Amino acid sequence: MRVYIDAMGGDNAPDAIVAGTVTAAEKYPDAEMILVGKENEIRDSAAKQGLSLDGIRIEAASEVVTMEDNPSEAFRNKKDSSLCRGLRLLKEEDGAVFVSAGSTGALIFCATMTVRRLPGVDRPCLAAVLPFETPVMILDAGANLEVKPEYMEQWALIGSIYYKKLFGKDSPRVGLLNNGAEETKGTPLQTESYEILKNMKNINFVGNIEGRYVPYGRCDVLLCDGFSGNILLKYTEGISKVFLGYLKDTLYKSRINKLAGLMIKKDLNGVKEKFNYKNYGGAPVVGLSKPVFKAHGNSDASAFANALGQAVDFVRGNTDRELKSASEYLKKVKDERKSENV
Amino acid sequence: MRVYIDAMGGDNAPDAIVAGTVTAAEKYPDAEMILVGKENEIRDSAAKQGLSLDGIRIEAASEVVTMEDNPSEAFRNKKDSSLCRGLRLLKEEDGAVFVSAGSTGALIFCATMTVRRLPGVDRPCLAAVLPFETPVMILDAGANLEVKPEYMEQWALIGSIYYKKLFGKDSPRVGLLNNGAEETKGTPLQTESYEILKNMKNINFVGNIEGRYVPYGRCDVLLCDGFSGNILLKYTEGISKVFLGYLKDTLYKSRINKLAGLMIKKDLNGVKEKFNYKNYGGAPVVGLSKPVFKAHGNSDASAFANALGQAVDFVRGNTDRELKSASEYLKKVKDERKSENV
């Protein structure tokens, strides 16, 4: 199993990427880890950290896509970047999976152009996980700001396969983010999507989900436009930090509070961990013909190692057959709609 | 100052409404509190709770608008409801303000049809407050799912006046909810709104606000479409409850944790209170020619009394002149655009 890694992507690249890759390579000896990027920087980083790169392949790429790069320009003008070259290798060598902690926009654009879409899927999307008791996978978490009901249909089906493999849950419940529970709620995007989703026999649609019930695990897969998904994902990060900050302030407020804090420290860490994105690996780009994962831009070595582990586990799950059959279904639906419209 | 109150609206009506009104009437002796609703139920509720209705006027209304009523049908078919009659009295008697804990949709529709819009405003919206260190007022919190850039312009200006009066802060910072900080981010709604907002000299526009920074008080007034606003508002409610639940579970986990919980109980209650909507009174319907406030549907007596207090304070703030000048400005802008388009 060949795992391609963007060594230059993310706030802590290449150090965190190199260290995370070394950890994952030890844990998954049957996977071939391939670091793509500036070879000297990768080797220097490993040496500096006292890490051995034995058994890890390095593929040289001279350029780096930054957060400031426009995605389409990055694809056109930075052909020899770790991102573009890694994605090409994934395709050309028939690799298993690609993982990057770099720019989300560039990753999705370049992956769509290089690896191509799964037949039947119009637009790949980002599937991020909200860290609740029941993990909630949001599709789209930010790749497509303007969305059509058919995209929702495609994401519902493909997203269910990803959820099942990543969290080991059969027929995950699919919900539609909306401003009310009733079928008639929302903009035309929601009402038209509802109509399609409720008639799909190959997903477990549970209806509209209001914002207040998202953290309560009323659904596993949550469908929304990328604008709402982006807001929801980032807001969760912000409000969790604010809440943990309030708690910390309380526990440092007086000597007696500090003592109480020590008494419950271990259990409170458990609460903190619930909101730690590092435990949740990466976010898959859903709807491509090969798996591609986005690790958090701020990943440290252990977060990146988790993202790699998640990617490896996903590939091991043998999703090929299921994705192929979903793709066939979606192509058929598209053809039927086309002939109805002729 | 005449304060009209929908005695029949909300989950705990009429008891919580009657009790909250009695409390507010004592606190604000110069305001005339007018309970609109089924007179016998109002009197029975007061008697049952051992409350005196001295000094409180009762205006009879035989019907009740429920959560199930379609807003436009409620307006057409329930003319003698506490909601419709209260709003008519507000207009006919030139009252100061109307407060209801009933259906948000019906309140906004009936208020818009009865009290009418402030000239220059196309669509009134709901302005709800997120309970952070710096209160963040979201407009629109759910009244208009499909929004035009001009609505944002109107809400920015009127919302700033409401924020200033409600929170005593001059030139509140106005932000635009978006999926990134750059001017070019978002759908056409966001980019076109940005263009208008940055050129407004009578608001303090601070640019795009990403979801993660909403809880950090980067802006006071947060502009968004009603779909996103509804999701944000309800999600905040849900995630706060989940977080407080995690905390409670931790503090009940063992005897030592329970002891620690007792030691910090008072300070932890402070954290809980930050997320208690009851401390935040009502949500104004912004853009009407008279102030109308929506109290939380689940309001108990003290929450409803707070909402009444907020409404009274708002009216005392003498916003008339400012709202009139904002209205003149918005009319002028509309006229200029019209003549440009001719």
Side-chain angles (χ1 to χ4, degrees):
Chain A
M1 180 198 300
R2 280 190 286 270
V3 181
Y4 298 88
I5 299 151
D6 176 1
M8 315 308 289
D11 303 345
N12 308 313
D15 290 354
I17 310 303
V18 169
T21 301
V22 169
T23 305
E26 278 163 19
K27 198 170 164 194
Y28 300 94
D30 57 330
E32 185 192 0
M33 300 289 174
I34 302 146
L35 281 166
V36 186
K38 297 187 175 178
E39 184 160 1
N40 54 342
E41 288 193 25
I42 294 170
R43 294 208 184 276
D44 287 354
S45 168
K48 191 179 67 184
Q49 300 182 81
L51 300 168
S52 156
L53 293 173
D54 280 1
I56 295 174
R57 200 212 305 177
I58 298 177
E59 284 286 343
S62 63
E63 290 173 297
V64 176
V65 172
T66 69
M67 297 306 286
E68 285 68 40
D69 283 325
N70 172 291
S72 65
E73 284 169 18
F75 179 70
R76 270 200 313 275
N77 305 331
K78 292 192 170 174
K79 293 279 179 212
D80 199 41
S81 60
S82 52
L83 176 64
C84 292
R85 179 148 160 69
L87 287 162
R88 280 203 309 279
L89 284 166
L90 172 70
K91 186 173 185 182
E92 289 160 11
E93 297 191 350
D94 194 21
V97 60
F98 179 80
V99 182
S100 173
S103 153
T104 309
L107 174 66
I108 294 171
F109 188 89
C110 297
T112 307
M113 298 303 282
T114 310
V115 184
R116 316 302 291 183
R117 290 171 289 132
L118 195 68
V121 173
D122 289 308
R123 298 283 174 89
C125 77
L126 190 68
V129 175
L130 295 178
F132 298 113
E133 206 82 40
T134 303
V136 178
M137 183 187 265
I138 322 179
L139 306 93
D140 178 8
N144 305 276
L145 301 187
E146 291 177 284
V147 165
K148 293 180 183 173
E150 300 83 54
Y151 303 174
M152 295 275 201
E153 175 181 37
Q154 296 155 11
W155 301 341
L157 186 57
I158 311 285
S160 293
I161 297 172
Y162 270 81
Y163 194 96
K164 186 175 147 191
K165 291 299 169 190
L166 289 172
F167 299 103
K169 182 171 188 174
D170 281 328
S171 70
R173 297 156 304 155
V174 177
L176 178 65
L177 184 66
N178 211 336
N179 67 319
E182 305 85 353
E183 198 168 331
T184 53
K185 284 284 180 178
T187 70
L189 172 63
Q190 281 76 36
T191 51
E192 290 167 27
S193 299
Y194 194 103
E195 189 60 30
I196 293 180
L197 294 165
K198 78 170 183 186
N199 290 312
M200 287 175 77
K201 293 195 176 61
N202 44 6
I203 63 162
N204 178 13
F205 183 54
V206 295
N208 287 329
I209 305 288
E210 287 184 86
R212 81 179 87 228
Y213 299 121
V214 172
Y216 283 93
R218 292 234 176 146
C219 69
D220 304 303
V221 171
L222 182 67
L223 299 172
C224 59
D225 63 276
F227 186 85
S228 308
N230 176 286
I231 302 295
L232 210 54
L233 184 66
K234 291 183 181 165
Y235 187 62
T236 307
E237 203 182 304
I239 200 171
S240 305
K241 275 193 194 155
V242 163
F243 205 108
L244 293 170
Y246 287 159
L247 201 57
K248 201 176 156 192
D249 290 348
T250 301
L251 294 175
Y252 279 85
K253 208 173 168 182
S254 67
R255 283 168 72 178
I256 201 158
N257 287 20
K258 280 182 197 165
L259 178 63
L262 284 174
M263 289 159 68
I264 51 173
K265 194 167 191 242
K266 217 182 109 205
D267 290 328
L268 270 188
N269 282 340
V271 175
K272 262 168 80 174
E273 280 305 299
K274 284 189 200 277
F275 289 96
N276 189 347
Y277 71 89
K278 289 175 186 165
N279 301 325
Y280 282 82
V285 183
V286 162
L288 294 169
S289 58
K290 289 267 184 193
V292 167
F293 282 79
K294 165 76 177 82
H296 201 287
N298 194 21
S299 294
D300 59 17
S302 90
F304 197 77
N306 282 347
L308 285 175
Q310 187 194 43
V312 168
D313 287 339
F314 181 77
V315 175
R316 275 186 180 154
N318 284 321
T319 51
D320 278 9
R321 205 174 42 83
E322 276 179 80
L323 286 172
K324 206 178 159 201
S325 124
S327 170
E328 295 298 335
Y329 169 84
L330 292 173
K331 274 194 292 182
K332 213 183 82 193
V333 168
K334 275 169 103 72
D335 288 343
E336 283 170 7
R337 280 208 194 110
K338 219 182 273 174
S339 65
E340 275 170 27
N341 289 337
V342 166
Chain B
M1 182 197 302
R2 280 189 286 269
V3 180
Y4 298 87
I5 299 152
D6 176 2
M8 314 309 288
D11 303 346
N12 308 314
D15 290 353
I17 310 301
V18 169
T21 301
V22 169
T23 304
E26 277 163 20
K27 200 172 163 194
Y28 299 93
D30 56 330
E32 186 191 2
M33 300 288 174
I34 302 146
L35 281 165
V36 186
K38 297 187 175 179
E39 182 159 4
N40 55 342
E41 287 193 27
I42 293 170
R43 295 207 182 278
D44 287 355
S45 168
K48 191 178 69 184
Q49 299 182 82
L51 299 168
S52 155
L53 293 174
D54 280 0
I56 296 174
R57 197 206 315 174
I58 298 178
E59 284 288 341
S62 63
E63 291 172 296
V64 176
V65 173
T66 69
M67 296 307 285
E68 286 67 40
D69 283 324
N70 173 292
S72 63
E73 284 168 20
F75 179 70
R76 270 200 312 274
N77 305 331
K78 290 192 170 173
K79 293 279 179 210
D80 199 42
S81 60
S82 53
L83 176 63
C84 292
R85 178 147 161 71
L87 287 163
R88 278 202 310 279
L89 284 167
L90 172 69
K91 186 175 182 180
E92 289 161 10
E93 298 191 350
D94 194 21
V97 61
F98 179 79
V99 182
S100 172
S103 155
T104 308
L107 174 64
I108 293 171
F109 188 89
C110 297
T112 307
M113 298 303 281
T114 309
V115 184
R116 315 302 291 182
R117 290 170 290 133
L118 194 67
V121 173
D122 289 309
R123 298 284 175 86
C125 78
L126 190 68
V129 175
L130 296 178
F132 298 112
E133 205 81 39
T134 302
V136 178
M137 182 186 267
I138 321 180
L139 308 92
D140 177 9
N144 306 275
L145 302 185
E146 290 177 284
V147 165
K148 293 180 183 172
E150 300 82 58
Y151 304 173
M152 296 275 200
E153 176 182 36
Q154 295 154 12
W155 300 341
L157 185 58
I158 311 286
S160 293
I161 297 171
Y162 270 81
Y163 193 96
K164 187 175 145 191
K165 293 298 170 192
L166 290 172
F167 300 103
K169 183 174 189 173
D170 281 327
S171 70
R173 295 155 307 155
V174 177
L176 178 66
L177 184 67
N178 210 335
N179 67 319
E182 304 84 353
E183 196 168 333
T184 53
K185 285 282 180 179
T187 70
L189 172 63
Q190 281 76 36
T191 51
E192 289 166 27
S193 299
Y194 194 106
E195 189 59 29
I196 292 180
L197 294 166
K198 79 170 180 182
N199 290 312
M200 286 175 77
K201 292 194 177 62
N202 44 5
I203 62 162
N204 178 13
F205 183 54
V206 296
N208 288 328
I209 305 288
E210 287 185 85
R212 80 179 88 226
Y213 299 122
V214 172
Y216 283 93
R218 291 234 179 148
C219 69
D220 304 303
V221 171
L222 182 67
L223 299 171
C224 58
D225 63 277
F227 186 85
S228 307
N230 176 286
I231 302 294
L232 211 52
L233 183 67
K234 291 183 181 164
Y235 187 63
T236 306
E237 202 181 305
I239 199 170
S240 305
K241 275 192 194 154
V242 164
F243 204 109
L244 293 170
Y246 286 160
L247 201 57
K248 199 176 161 192
D249 290 349
T250 301
L251 294 176
Y252 279 84
K253 209 174 168 182
S254 67
R255 281 170 69 182
I256 199 157
N257 287 18
K258 278 181 200 165
L259 179 61
L262 284 175
M263 288 159 68
I264 51 173
K265 193 164 191 245
K266 216 183 110 205
D267 290 328
L268 269 188
N269 281 340
V271 175
K272 263 168 81 175
E273 279 306 297
K274 284 187 199 281
F275 290 96
N276 190 347
Y277 70 89
K278 288 174 188 165
N279 300 325
Y280 283 83
V285 183
V286 163
L288 295 169
S289 59
K290 288 266 183 193
V292 167
F293 283 80
K294 164 77 177 84
H296 200 288
N298 194 22
S299 293
D300 59 16
S302 91
F304 196 77
N306 282 346
L308 285 177
Q310 186 193 43
V312 169
D313 286 338
F314 180 77
V315 175
R316 276 186 179 157
N318 285 320
T319 52
D320 279 9
R321 203 173 44 86
E322 278 179 78
L323 287 172
K324 205 177 160 202
S325 124
S327 170
E328 294 299 333
Y329 169 84
L330 293 172
K331 274 195 292 181
K332 211 183 83 191
V333 168
K334 277 169 103 74
D335 288 343
E336 283 170 5
R337 282 209 192 107
K338 220 181 269 171
S339 65
E340 274 169 28
N341 290 335
V342 167

